[in-house]
Amino acid sequence: MTDRIEAATAPTETSAQIVAIARRADMAAFEALFREFGPRIRAYLLKLTRDGQAAEDLMQETMLAIWRKAGQFDPERGQASAWMFTIARNIWIDAWRKQKRPAFDPDDPALVPAPEPAAGEMLEQKQSGAALHEALKTLPAEQVELIRLSFFDEDSHSTIAARLGLPIGTVKSRIRLAFGRLRAALEEMK
């Protein structure tokens, strides 16, 4: 029974190769590891990607990561093969995420700013804005407040009612009345 326990806790040849890579940058150990696990990792990645070239590229990237991360391997924490296949899986996940993220397109219409309005349009907007401000001055303060809350602050009628302590029906009818007066004031200014 103690022979089995010692065999289970004894470092495997693969673990010893990874430790040799970490300590001495042992190329012979890496070559042996590559020959043994390269095809197995490629087959694993081929099942995940279903693309031979992608599996080959990811296998190469995995083996390079094993070379670079060999110092992080701890034989006490688990098997060397599990550690290597975890690296392969993580590299596949990273590649999959990059593939799912769309490439940045500077010509995307959503990213192109709207063209500046023509001078005539800008003048008309300024005049309309000035006329609106003048028309608002003709309304009682409580109606101006309701219009500001509803259309400039974009509060819902129920929020306005709660804030002002009024029934919602009162808020709606006062906004409707304010709009009627505002429309009449704007018509007079034309």
Side-chain angles (χ1 to χ4, degrees):
M1 174 112 171
T2 56
D3 292 337
R4 269 199 260 162
I5 294 172
E6 287 176 14
T9 59
T12 63
E13 182 181 344
T14 306
S15 296
Q17 290 169 332
I18 295 174
V19 170
I21 294 167
R23 289 187 183 153
R24 302 183 305 273
D26 188 337
M27 287 299 291
F30 183 71
E31 186 179 334
L33 193 69
F34 195 99
R35 268 189 269 115
E36 182 178 352
F37 281 93
R40 292 166 60 185
I41 290 173
R42 184 185 181 285
Y44 170 70
L45 292 168
L46 185 60
K47 285 181 185 177
L48 295 174
T49 62
R50 295 184 185 102
D51 178 355
Q53 185 59 48
E56 181 68 28
D57 293 344
L58 292 174
M59 182 271 297
Q60 295 285 340
E61 194 174 330
T62 300
M63 296 309 290
L64 186 60
I66 290 168
W67 172 266
R68 278 193 245 118
K69 296 179 179 186
Q72 297 174 6
F73 174 68
D74 182 4
E76 300 293 319
R77 294 189 62 205
Q79 293 183 3
S81 60
W83 180 76
M84 290 189 295
F85 279 94
T86 299
I87 290 174
R89 181 180 158 274
N90 291 342
I91 286 174
W92 170 74
I93 289 170
D94 289 344
W96 183 79
R97 286 179 180 155
K98 286 177 188 173
Q99 183 183 32
K100 293 295 179 188
R101 200 171 294 144
F104 176 74
D105 181 11
D107 296 328
D108 187 348
L111 302 176
V112 176
E116 286 290 320
E121 288 178 36
M122 288 178 58
L123 179 62
E124 186 178 319
Q125 286 176 0
K126 269 190 167 181
Q127 288 172 344
S128 296
L132 179 62
H133 283 290
E134 287 301 314
L136 281 171
K137 289 179 184 176
T138 65
L139 298 178
E142 68 178 20
Q143 291 179 354
V144 172
E145 178 69 7
L146 286 170
I147 288 177
R148 183 188 62 77
L149 290 171
S150 182
F151 296 97
F152 296 111
D153 293 352
E154 297 182 357
D155 288 343
S156 67
H157 290 164
S158 57
T159 303
I160 295 169
R163 184 180 295 171
L164 299 178
L166 297 171
I168 194 165
T170 303
V171 169
K172 289 180 179 184
S173 63
R174 286 183 182 174
I175 289 173
R176 197 175 312 113
L177 178 64
F179 257 116
R181 287 185 177 170
L182 194 58
R183 190 176 302 118
L186 287 169
E187 287 295 323
E188 285 178 17
M189 290 182 184
K190 282 186 182 180

